[in-house]
Amino acid sequence: MFAIAILGFSIYYMNEYHIEDNDASIQSNLETWLNRPPSEELNPEVLQVKQIEDTTSHIILFQLDNGDYGYARLLKGLNGKFKIDVAGYGSGIYNSSYQVIETNKGEYLVLYGENPDLKIDHILATALSNEYDVTFDISNEQTFLQSAKIPSDVERAFPVDLSFYDDADNLIE
């Protein structure tokens, strides 16, 4: 009986974590994930895949046909393959956005988007709870995907306010 339970779990696990660690598999599975019913037809283009420090979470930066940016989280399983467990799209101010992601090593703030004409030097992300702030240097990145660990003693990591600055440290309105 125990062997049957282990076999059943193994089959489930292998089906759950099935995305290969290559561009074609990630692209195909992201399209499938985003186009689940009841969704409109979305055609994402994967721009970047980045591991969040030394965690089992990887973040996909993608762009849709309408220019919006989005993210998806890949979780790496024990079999070395991935599954997508969350995705979002739609861009905020300056065609950028953020998300707080829970990983196996704590919470991380993920910032993604576009830096048109490299006008933005850095972005200050300040928690509305005033418990933490993080500065992201995006001065040389046309599109960016960055993350920062949120201190473990923070009670309310979300939401944050994003402030955009030029290279002279002037706030961009």
Side-chain angles (χ1 to χ4, degrees), residues 20-94:
E20 299 283 342
D21 190 5
N22 64 62
D23 293 343
S25 183
I26 292 170
Q27 177 73 43
S28 171
N29 281 277
L30 178 63
E31 288 173 13
T32 301
W33 174 272
L34 292 176
N35 287 295
R36 295 172 300 158
S39 176
E40 60 188 89
E41 181 71 24
L42 298 173
N43 297 304
E45 177 189 352
V46 173
L47 302 176
Q48 228 181 108
V49 179
K50 186 183 285 189
Q51 183 175 5
I52 298 179
E53 292 187 357
D54 187 27
T55 71
T56 57
S57 294
H58 293 62
I59 300 295
I60 302 169
L61 172 65
F62 64 87
Q63 188 172 24
L64 299 174
D65 291 338
N66 68 1
D68 280 350
Y69 288 89
Y71 79 99
R73 179 171 63 173
L74 291 168
L75 287 177
K76 190 171 193 173
L78 297 174
N79 62 356
K81 296 182 181 180
F82 296 97
K83 74 174 184 175
I84 297 173
D85 74 331
V86 67
Y89 57 89
S91 302
I93 189 165
Y94 298 107

Side-chain angles (χ1 to χ4, degrees), residues 115 118 120-122 137-144 146:
N115 185 0
L118 299 177
I120 304 167
D121 181 73
H122 60 281
D137 178 0
I138 63 162
S139 57
N140 297 316
E141 299 179 60
Q142 189 73 37
T143 57
F144 56 89
Q146 294 190 18

Side-chain angles (χ1 to χ4, degrees), residues 7-23:
L7 179 62
F9 177 76
S10 297
I11 291 170
Y12 167 78
Y13 192 87
M14 294 301 191
N15 286 332
E16 186 80 9
Y17 290 87
H18 65 277
I19 303 172
E20 299 283 342
D21 190 5
N22 64 62
D23 293 343

